[in-house]
């Protein structure tokens, strides 16, 4: 009898030890959602065990706002990379939410409760998590306006009569198009997408290359009275600070364009300069579409 009791005691101790050694999964928020009225917002969590990523989990969550009764939102998450699980939910408002996660694998199941900070959007759109802000839109609108006014000034000095009237009507129409937010967003996305591709290809925009490009455009603006006036009104220090960021992307984009030109020349050694340029521009547009499709772009 004593031997039986001793055996049972040992078995219980072994079972308790086994339970105490059960793997503990840790959940950390890897990407906070950004609130968008009427749209789903993506968020990501990272699941680890002893500091190592845990793959192959079935993960679901029940989301609720702790301080207010906005009901609950149920979400199934998918593994997007090792130990990283992504889900999307339509949040009713920004603020602190409570996420109750259920994690399952091979019969094991654990529940974890994590605070989720649903942020207000930092901009009007994002590319791979990089925000496009209202300030970005305002700058592009200003740059377009700057070029419209420079060209208007040039045409006033160059033409007269009916030709001048036609030119001024054209620039008036361009000015109206410049009010289109979607057009401004398209311009920003095009440049940033190809600059990102340039970086992916290993290109870099050196300080010397950026400064040389800025010196060139600064010289062009200094030859235009209307440009100098508009830049002064915008704020010279702010203008050239933003231009430096712009030209870092422009230099990267130019390197992608040059890669294509060299590729076309190699493939068509007998092609003339005009044919090379036309083919390279066509391939650039195709590459742009492919690059944009590969990025995570969200319009708020």
């Amino acid at each position: 009898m004593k031997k039986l009791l001793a055996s049972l005691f040992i078995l219980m101790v072994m079972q308790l030890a086994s339970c105490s050694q059960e793997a503990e999964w840790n959940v950390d928020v890897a990407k906070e959602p950004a609130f968008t009225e009427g749209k789903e917002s993506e968020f990501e969590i990272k699941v680890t065990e002893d500091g190592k990523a845990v793959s192959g989990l079935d993960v679901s969550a029940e989301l609720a706002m702790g301080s207010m009764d906005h009901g609950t939102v149920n979400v199934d998450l998918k593994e997007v990379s090792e130990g990283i699980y992504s889900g999307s939910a339509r949040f009713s408002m920004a603020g602190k939410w409570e996420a109750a996660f259920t994690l399952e694998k091979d019969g094991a199941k654990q529940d974890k409760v994590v605070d989720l900070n649903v942020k207000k959007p930092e901009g009007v759109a994002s590319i791979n998590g990089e925000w496009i802000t209202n300030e970005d839109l305002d700058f592009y609108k200003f740059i377009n306006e700057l070029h419209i006014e420079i060209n208007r000034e040039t045409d006033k000095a160059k033409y007269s009569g009916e030709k001048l009237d036609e030119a001024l009507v054209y620039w008036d129409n361009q000015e109206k198009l410049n009010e289109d937010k979607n057009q401004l967003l398209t311009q920003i996305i095009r440049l940033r997408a190809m600059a990102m591709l340039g970086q992916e290809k290993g290109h870099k925009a050196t300080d010397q290359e950026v400064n040389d490009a800025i010196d060139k455009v600064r010289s062009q603006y200094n030859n235009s009275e209307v440009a100098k006036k508009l830049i002064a009104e915008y704020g010279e220090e702010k203008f050239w600070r933003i231009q430096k960021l712009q030209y870092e992307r422009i230099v990267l984009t130019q390197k992608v364009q040059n890669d294509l030109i060299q590729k076309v020349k190699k493939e068509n050694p007998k092609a003339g300069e005009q044919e090379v340029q036309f083919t390279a521009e066509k391939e650039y547009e195709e590459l742009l579409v492919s690059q944009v499709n590969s990025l995570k772009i969200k319009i708020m």
Side-chain angles (χ1 to χ4, degrees):
M1 183 67 177
K2 287 182 180 179
K3 287 184 178 179
L4 178 60
L5 288 173
S7 297
L8 287 171
F9 178 74
I10 291 170
L11 181 60
M12 288 174 64
V13 169
M14 290 175 64
Q15 287 176 334
L16 287 170
S18 176
C19 288
S20 67
Q21 292 172 7
E22 184 178 330
E24 180 74 15
W25 295 326
N26 296 305
V27 175
D28 295 296
V29 178
K31 178 184 175 183
E32 302 276 14
F35 172 71
T36 308
E37 184 71 42
K39 294 182 181 179
E40 289 193 344
S41 298
E42 183 186 25
F43 63 94
E44 293 178 355
I45 61 169
K46 183 176 183 179
V47 184
T48 57
E49 178 189 330
D50 295 329
K52 296 180 180 178
V54 180
S55 290
L57 292 169
D58 291 323
V59 182
S60 60
E62 187 177 89
L63 312 175
M65 201 164 194
S67 58
M68 299 181 189
D69 184 14
H70 284 268
T72 59
V73 181
N74 295 310
V75 183
D76 290 322
L77 288 81
K78 293 182 178 180
E79 188 171 12
V80 292
S81 61
E82 189 177 9
I84 301 294
Y85 298 82
S86 174
S88 295
R90 185 175 294 188
F91 297 93
S92 54
M93 63 184 296
K96 296 287 184 182
W97 286 68
E98 192 175 80
F101 291 99
T102 299
L103 302 91
E104 299 180 75
K105 182 179 181 180
D106 299 332
K109 180 178 177 181
Q110 293 182 26
D111 295 316
K112 302 288 178 180
V113 178
V114 178
D115 287 334
L116 202 59
N117 180 33
V118 182
K119 303 178 294 183
K120 291 181 179 178
E122 297 175 27
V124 295
S126 67
I127 307 175
N128 281 12
E130 179 185 313
W131 286 103
I132 297 172
T133 65
N134 280 310
E135 184 181 34
D136 293 324
L137 287 180
D138 289 342
F139 182 76
Y140 267 70
K141 184 177 179 181
F142 174 74
I143 281 289
N144 290 341
E145 178 189 351
L146 183 64
H147 290 167
I148 288 168
E149 293 306 320
I150 290 171
N151 285 312
R152 201 197 304 267
E153 179 186 51
T154 301
D155 286 349
K156 282 181 178 179
K158 185 177 180 181
Y159 300 122
S160 63
E162 189 175 329
K163 269 198 169 182
L164 176 60
D165 290 340
E166 289 175 359
L168 295 181
V169 167
Y170 175 79
W171 296 120
D172 287 344
N173 288 333
Q174 292 301 305
E175 197 171 16
K176 290 175 184 176
L177 288 174
N178 196 34
E179 298 293 329
D180 186 349
K181 174 183 169 182
N182 290 330
Q183 177 177 285
L184 296 171
L185 270 176
T186 299
Q187 286 180 271
I188 294 171
I189 290 169
R190 282 177 64 93
L191 178 60
R192 293 198 185 181
M194 294 310 276
M196 286 178 179
L197 180 61
Q199 289 177 321
E200 290 168 17
K201 288 179 174 293
H203 290 307
K204 292 181 180 179
T206 67
D207 288 341
Q208 186 63 52
E209 289 170 327
V210 173
N211 290 334
D212 287 347
I214 287 177
D215 287 345
K216 186 176 179 180
V217 76
R218 193 194 294 268
S219 176
Q220 292 172 351
Y221 290 156
N222 284 338
N223 289 327
S224 168
E225 289 303 318
V226 70
K228 289 191 287 186
K229 178 176 179 291
L230 287 172
I231 291 170
E233 290 172 355
Y234 185 86
E236 285 198 39
E237 185 178 342
K238 178 183 176 183
F239 177 78
W240 291 111
R241 172 175 56 81
I242 300 175
Q243 277 286 60
K244 189 173 190 306
L245 293 173
Q246 282 291 101
Y247 272 88
E248 286 173 3
R249 296 185 178 112
I250 289 170
V251 168
L252 286 167
T253 299
Q254 288 172 339
K255 291 187 176 185
V256 174
Q257 291 171 329
N258 189 58
D259 285 347
L260 289 173
I261 289 171
Q262 298 307 315
K263 173 178 170 289
V264 172
K265 284 182 176 179
K266 187 176 180 180
E267 292 174 350
N268 304 276
K270 295 182 180 180
E273 193 64 33
Q274 191 172 358
E275 184 183 349
V276 168
Q277 195 66 32
F278 175 80
T279 305
E281 286 176 5
K282 182 183 176 186
E283 290 193 12
Y284 179 87
E285 289 301 319
E286 292 171 353
L287 189 59
L288 173 64
V289 172
S290 175
Q291 173 68 357
V292 168
N293 288 337
S294 73
L295 300 174
K296 288 186 178 180
I297 298 175
K298 287 189 176 182
I299 311 297
M300 298 295 115

